[in-house]
Amino acid sequence: MNSNTLSPAPTKNKKLIFWVEEVSAMTQPDQIIWCDGSQSEYNRLIHELVEQGMAIPLKRENSYLFRTDPSDVARVENRTYISSLKKEDAGPTNNWVEPEELKSTMRELYNGCMKGRTMYVIPFSMGPIGSDIAKIGVEITDSAYVVTNMHIMTRVGSKVLETLGETGEFIPCLHSVGKPLKEGESDDGKWPCAPLDKKYISHFPEERLIWSYGSGYGGNALLGKKCLALRIASSLAKEEGWMAEHMLILKLTNPSGLRKYIAAAFPSACGKTNLAMLVPTIPGWKVETVGDDIAWMKFGADGRLRAINPEAGFFGVAPGTSEDSNPNAMASIKSNTIFSNVALTADKDIWWEGMGTEPKFPLTDWHGKDWKQGSDQPAAHPNARFTAPASQCPAIASEWEDPNGVPIDAILFGGRRPNTIPLVTQARDWNHGVFMGSIVGSEITAAALDLKAGTVRRDPFAMLPFCGYNMGDYFQHWINIGKKTSADKLPKLFFVNWFRKKDGKFVWPGYGENSRVLKWIFEQCEGLGKSKDTAIGIMPTEDAIDLPKEVSAEQLKDILAVDTEGWLAELKDIRENHYPIFGDKLPSELKHELDKLEKNLKS
Ligand code: SAT
Ligand code: MN
């Protein structure tokens, strides 16, 4: 080890100093760098990455392209563990290994795993530094790519250490790419990672500890995001009486300047980022972005749920993002952006499928190979990403960093459902809304895994891969939240579905036209919407939602109808396949909601 190892830590926090020493003794890096979050640190690391052939400078200002190993392109859910002391506490939807067993397997992997590399210590805050909803984490990593992404996605640096002080609490997040270098060896431009069966994304909720090994990508490696802000935070939130949710947060302003804050949970690939940055098609209405992926919500002194976006950047899916689908995202990535696994044009710009423009040839695909029009492989990986500072979004709300958060008026749940689920339904009350959240699902396409096409894959509250404890207990936590304040102070809950199909085609145009649905939701929050009671909840009357030009009155009627047959089949699936998974952890309130729905449908 060189002298950096001996340089004094820029903190007096004993727990942190001890942990860094312990990890460095185990992983044996060549040197240790404490990150200060400065622009010069970012520039220096990027410069090194370019020198090593890992990053390609782009013509966009201060923007770079990375290409990962073809095996390291997404989160690895089957290698993700909730390692609670008892298996029951991880629940039926998480992988579980007993903590000591998992730790001893991982210690063996971590042993000497940073040889030949630099160990970076990244103090970061999820949420505005000092906000009482925020949490401090410290990530140790041997990947400079991770450090640069963490700079954008979180608040990194010396101010975090100041806030931490000598005795402050932090969540330790240990990460290694799992590829030690031999004497004289270098990565030589090759993305370092370990094979799939050596990858582990492990969470120890009782200890509030994260250990990740073997992957350098996205949610496997940027540990503030899914690992801390959802899995560990959800478990903390249950204990402390708040909520950590996989939700965007948006601010909706009507033509007279009244505003509402809306949070929305959708499974991956259902357009959360697009909804968060939506440009309304109805005149006079405005949507501004508070967050696009995660919401932490706590009750304020006024008894209302207040939400913060714990992140500082967007880690968005690139393919499909265009001036048409999301102009605000396109504007957010004009500079200071890291691109991963997109295609590279001849003039050093980026390109992907669904960008809405023709690429400039010669085009280099995400493998670094020449790509020809008509190839049966996409030029950009379908999970190619951009990492961009949230502050660069033209639609960012002025209060997006308010340490007190924004008061949430409505929460939406949704998934991709070609039939049955109407365009929008409002829950009659909190528990009915919790029922809606608990049955969220997306239709499986023929391409997905080996599951049966046409069946629904349930993803309750869009938290299936992100709930850090037993999902039955998580349902109960939602029920309990509803008892913590008076009903008029709770957000109103809605079920939405932009994805209804007829004859294989989407009926509802989505994107900016979703503002018409948001308008009705706004009016419902004000108590002014036109609505009627139905068997499945409160729904807009036929004239309550203005028609987009592509949609006929007949079509709107169709996607706002109660499909009794479809709902009876839905009910059967929930009763026979979905709810039994949770055994006696399923809250009685949800069984009751299911019975009530059946009675309503049959009466
Ligand atoms: O890779 S991430 O987990 O950060 C993004 C995602 O899969 O939703
Ligand atoms: Mn997400």
Side-chain angles (χ1 to χ4, degrees):
M1 291 201 208
N2 75 14
S3 59
N4 276 313
T5 309
L6 303 172
S7 70
T11 174
K12 292 203 169 80
N13 190 292
K14 288 211 182 60
K15 185 182 156 195
L16 177 53
I17 294 167
F18 178 79
W19 179 59
V20 168
E21 280 171 0
E22 188 188 45
V23 170
S24 93
M26 174 166 73
T27 59
Q28 301 161 41
D30 278 8
Q31 60 168 338
I32 300 174
I33 292 180
W34 289 75
C35 298
D36 62 13
S38 64
Q39 187 63 43
S40 62
E41 174 175 271
Y42 185 90
N43 296 347
R44 178 171 48 79
L45 290 176
I46 282 283
H47 178 76
E48 285 173 21
L49 287 160
V50 171
E51 293 280 287
Q52 293 160 16
M54 304 293 291
I56 300 167
L58 297 167
K59 81 181 215 194
R60 290 173 190 239
E61 190 195 339
N62 192 30
S63 299
Y64 299 87
L65 165 64
F66 288 81
R67 295 189 188 119
T68 74
D69 187 272
S71 71
D72 203 29
V73 293
R75 282 183 294 102
V76 282
E77 287 178 22
N78 60 348
R79 307 293 306 168
T80 299
Y81 298 89
I82 299 299
S83 185
S84 44
L85 294 171
K86 288 193 283 179
K87 184 169 198 276
E88 190 198 356
D89 291 335
T93 58
N94 285 312
N95 300 311
W96 179 84
V97 175
E98 191 277 321
E100 267 322 306
E101 185 188 330
L102 184 54
K103 280 191 181 168
S104 88
T105 306
M106 290 190 73
R107 270 194 207 104
E108 236 162 80
L109 294 168
Y110 278 135
N111 208 341
C113 73
M114 294 192 189
K115 275 189 183 149
R117 296 191 184 275
T118 300
M119 176 172 126
Y120 302 94
V121 183
I122 317 170
F124 64 94
S125 176
M126 297 311 286
I129 297 171
S131 159
D132 66 332
I133 315 183
K135 295 274 177 211
I136 290 177
V138 180
E139 177 159 353
I140 291 180
T141 180
D142 53 8
S143 159
Y145 169 83
V146 166
V147 180
T148 54
N149 276 271
M150 288 293 283
H151 265 235
I152 299 173
M153 294 305 297
T154 73
R155 293 150 176 100
V156 173
S158 319
K159 257 187 92 180
V160 179
L161 289 181
E162 271 165 43
T163 309
L164 188 61
E166 285 187 33
T167 53
E169 288 292 321
F170 65 94
I171 296 165
C173 309
L174 171 55
H175 170 253
S176 170
V177 294
K179 178 88 177 50
L181 295 169
K182 293 189 197 75
E183 189 78 43
E185 191 190 3
S186 77
D187 286 321
D188 205 18
K190 254 188 100 220
W191 177 267
C193 63
L196 184 64
D197 66 344
K198 294 279 186 308
K199 292 192 211 289
Y200 287 89
I201 319 298
S202 305
H203 309 73
F204 303 92
E206 283 103 350
E207 274 182 81
R208 297 173 185 175
L209 171 69
I210 299 162
W211 276 13
S212 164
Y213 182 90
S215 166
Y217 195 65
N220 303 326
L222 312 177
L223 302 184
K225 195 174 179 61
K226 308 296 188 181
C227 298
L228 192 163
L230 288 176
R231 299 196 190 95
I232 293 294
S234 63
S235 142
L236 267 168
K238 181 189 139 234
E239 263 171 58
E240 298 173 358
W242 54 284
M243 311 175 91
E245 300 296 331
H246 192 204
M247 289 178 185
L248 65 91
I249 309 164
L250 65 82
K251 173 185 173 186
L252 179 63
T253 307
N254 80 355
S256 29
L258 267 182
R259 51 175 186 257
K260 303 278 173 217
Y261 295 95
I262 298 177
F266 299 102
S268 302
C270 291
K272 275 211 306 298
T273 304
N274 293 343
L275 184 62
M277 299 179 187
L278 172 144
V279 181
T281 47
I282 31 177
W285 289 74
K286 192 155 113 191
V287 167
E288 290 162 277
T289 314
V290 177
D292 81 326
D293 194 40
I294 300 175
W296 283 359
M297 298 185 282
K298 251 186 195 170
F299 284 107
D302 57 359
R304 300 194 60 194
L305 265 182
R306 305 190 72 97
I308 63 161
N309 167 12
E311 302 190 278
F314 307 123
F315 187 66
V317 178
T321 307
S322 70
E323 289 296 342
D324 264 349
S325 69
N326 195 338
N328 285 316
M330 293 302 278
S332 308
I333 60 175
K334 285 207 167 115
S335 57
N336 308 311
T337 299
I338 294 173
F339 295 92
S340 306
N341 291 338
V342 303
L344 178 67
T345 63
D347 62 346
K348 293 267 183 278
D349 204 0
I350 40 126
W351 188 83
W352 48 72
E353 280 71 19
M355 197 190 228
T357 52
E358 287 303 312
K360 291 206 180 94
F361 289 98
L363 188 74
T364 309
D365 72 8
W366 69 278
H367 293 285
K369 300 251 162 58
D370 187 49
W371 189 87
K372 295 268 185 298
Q373 198 98 52
S375 162
D376 59 355
Q377 296 296 314
H381 187 277
N383 193 40
R385 297 272 171 167
F386 52 78
T387 318
S391 58
Q392 291 187 180
C393 179
I396 201 79
S398 56
E399 59 275 61
W400 83 280
E401 297 193 278
D402 186 338
N404 299 315
V406 296
I408 296 297
D409 297 287
I411 297 177
L412 324 185
F413 303 114
R416 276 177 188 269
R417 298 292 304 270
N419 39 50
T420 313
I421 311 294
L423 182 62
V424 59
T425 317
Q426 184 185 346
R428 276 180 292 265
D429 54 31
W430 183 263
N431 285 356
H432 183 213
V434 175
F435 168 76
M436 288 171 170
S438 78
I439 64 164
V440 163
S442 271
E443 213 87 3
I444 290 162
T445 56
L449 313 166
D450 49 357
L451 298 159
K452 220 167 78 205
T455 57
V456 178
R457 184 193 206 189
R458 302 281 168 197
D459 185 353
F461 299 85
M463 283 288 278
L464 189 66
F466 306 122
C467 184
Y469 60 101
N470 190 310
M471 192 152 257
D473 291 331
Y474 169 85
F475 293 166
Q476 188 64 55
H477 181 55
W478 264 88
I479 300 276
N480 296 348
I481 287 284
K483 297 178 187 150
K484 280 183 179 271
T485 196
S486 57
D488 60 311
K489 291 194 171 136
L490 284 167
K492 305 222 175 330
L493 306 180
F494 297 82
F495 208 175
V496 298
N497 180 20
W498 321 133
F499 300 96
R500 284 289 290 270
K501 280 187 176 171
K502 185 97 184 207
D503 305 324
K505 285 211 198 86
F506 288 113
V507 180
W508 184 254
Y511 300 107
E513 300 292 9
N514 290 335
S515 56
R516 298 176 195 277
V517 179
L518 295 183
K519 174 172 175 266
W520 182 75
I521 289 168
F522 186 110
E523 289 161 355
Q524 286 298 98
C525 292
E526 288 281 289
L528 298 172
K530 291 188 190 167
S531 63
K532 60 183 183 201
D533 242 317
T534 75
I536 58 171
I538 303 163
M539 295 182 71
T541 54
E542 272 161 34
D543 58 344
I545 292 180
D546 317 312
L547 287 175
K549 58 178 181 310
E550 302 90 327
V551 182
S552 69
E554 204 51 39
Q555 284 173 314
L556 183 66
K557 196 173 156 193
D558 199 40
I559 58 175
L560 283 177
V562 178
D563 167 10
T564 306
E565 284 300 298
W567 271 101
L568 285 172
E570 184 81 12
L571 208 126
K572 185 167 185 285
D573 182 52
I574 296 164
R575 213 184 269 297
E576 289 175 8
N577 304 315
H578 180 45
Y579 274 181
I581 295 169
F582 308 101
D584 53 11
K585 291 277 189 189
L586 185 77
S588 58
E589 288 88 345
L590 294 186
K591 277 183 247 164
H592 180 68
E593 289 297 328
L594 192 60
D595 292 342
K596 206 156 68 181
L597 174 64
E598 181 157 22
K599 216 175 105 219
N600 289 349
L601 289 166
K602 288 183 173 165
S603 68

